[in-house]
Amino acid sequence: MERPSRREFAGTLATLVALGGFYRLAHARGAFVRPIETIMNGWVRELMQLARDVRAGRMAVTVWQERMAALHQRVPIADVLKYIDFDRVVSGVAYPKDVAAICDVALPGVPADARFGHKIFAYRRGAATPPHVHNNLVSAHLVLRGSLRARTYDRLRDEVAAEGAPGVIVLAPTRDREIRPGETVTMSDERDNGHWFVATSERAYTLDVPVAHVNLAKHYATRASEYGMIFVDPTPPPDARGRIAAPTMTFAAAVRRFGG
Ligand SMILES: [Fe+2]
């Protein structure tokens, strides 16, 4: 291949420098600013469609998980923060020592009867969402700021105990790592049904989108709270196959045991 002459090289360089200046100027004037409204309106429309499809049983819960993770990956976090007016929403938050503060967040374009949740979980360092599983619910947790240790578990089976004793949920760990802005952790009856989050930065925030009353053909031996939650202790040592027999517990006991 012929090497460019010094003069050609200098000419190309000059063109690139000039183009760089042009793009910077154009960007500063807003000529190439991406239309945030358009991107975010599309994001919200797809959120609503996915929620409708999974609730109606037209979409498998694991497909919902994949589609939500892909959807969140397509939007820049900076745009999400602007769209949900993040700074205003979290401006007055009092951060509990042990668990996350929960802030309602409006999604422009989503009607009040859309029948899926959208809340910000705001954590101080060490505060936790204690380990729990869900019945007939899907959710997606998008990290907006900070970092969290995320542990997730497949739920293999419920073992109901004799009268008066706590039941056990048999879990298989699927993830234990730090998650950062832009990453999404999803769950459903079929995959990663249990989760446990602990903030590892001074402040950490996630946007949680749950859809309840899904996959209703699936029945569990353990009844859940009105929020579809069952708190568990996943810290007993695993068996030879890596499975954990996690006793169920009340929310108050879970906060005492696992709150920051
Ligand atoms: Fe949850």
Side-chain angles (χ1 to χ4, degrees):
M1 193 176 99
E2 264 183 50
R3 296 176 61 182
S5 69
R6 180 182 284 270
R7 175 186 290 222
E8 283 166 346
F9 181 74
T12 306
L13 195 63
T15 306
L16 285 174
V17 168
L19 273 176
F22 168 71
Y23 279 117
R24 275 196 299 279
L25 186 65
H27 191 77
R29 289 180 177 171
F32 293 117
V33 172
R34 281 165 305 104
I36 288 178
E37 292 289 314
T38 309
I39 293 171
M40 296 312 299
N41 289 342
W43 178 74
V44 157
R45 268 200 307 277
E46 192 166 341
L47 272 186
M48 289 196 287
Q49 187 61 48
L50 292 175
R52 273 197 294 270
D53 286 348
V54 76
R55 276 187 75 105
R58 289 190 294 267
M59 177 179 284
V61 289
T62 50
V63 173
W64 183 90
Q65 290 178 267
E66 285 155 17
R67 294 280 300 272
M68 283 295 292
L71 175 65
H72 282 345
Q73 213 169 23
R74 289 204 301 272
V75 287
I77 287 298
D79 289 2
V80 177
L81 295 179
K82 277 188 209 142
Y83 196 70
I84 64 178
D85 205 359
F86 173 82
D87 289 328
R88 187 192 58 76
V89 171
V90 303
S91 61
V93 170
Y95 295 84
K97 192 175 74 57
D98 44 11
V99 295
I102 301 173
C103 317
D104 279 316
V105 59
L107 295 180
V110 175
D113 61 352
R115 303 209 301 177
F116 67 91
H118 33 93
K119 292 177 190 302
I120 288 177
F121 279 53
Y123 302 79
R124 70 161 70 188
R125 188 191 294 278
T129 294
H132 62 280
V133 296
H134 288 280
N135 288 2
N136 305 109
L137 182 130
V138 289
S139 70
H141 306 254
L142 168 66
V143 184
L144 297 174
R145 275 204 185 143
S147 57
L148 303 102
R149 181 178 178 187
R151 278 164 277 195
T152 56
Y153 309 85
D154 279 339
R155 179 177 179 179
L156 303 182
R157 65 179 183 277
D158 294 12
E159 291 179 358
V160 179
E163 191 77 24
V168 162
I169 311 282
V170 180
L171 302 172
T174 52
R175 176 194 281 107
D176 181 0
R177 65 179 180 80
E178 196 161 76
I179 53 172
R180 295 180 169 280
E183 289 189 71
T184 302
V185 173
T186 65
M187 57 72 51
S188 73
D189 290 318
E190 307 303 332
R191 186 189 302 158
D192 296 334
N193 184 261
H195 47 211
W196 176 11
F197 301 108
V198 181
T200 53
S201 54
E202 212 44 44
R203 296 281 184 266
Y205 304 88
T206 61
L207 173 67
D208 292 5
V209 175
V211 187
H213 306 295
V214 300
N215 207 31
L216 295 176
K218 179 119 185 177
H219 298 286
Y220 290 103
T222 314
R223 283 192 40 191
S225 73
E226 60 182 309
Y227 302 110
M229 301 170 85
I230 301 158
F231 290 90
V232 293
D233 174 4
T235 60
D239 68 12
R241 288 188 296 173
R243 294 172 176 184
I244 298 165
T248 60
M249 59 206 307
T250 63
F251 173 64
V255 172
R256 275 197 305 276
R257 173 88 166 79
F258 299 107

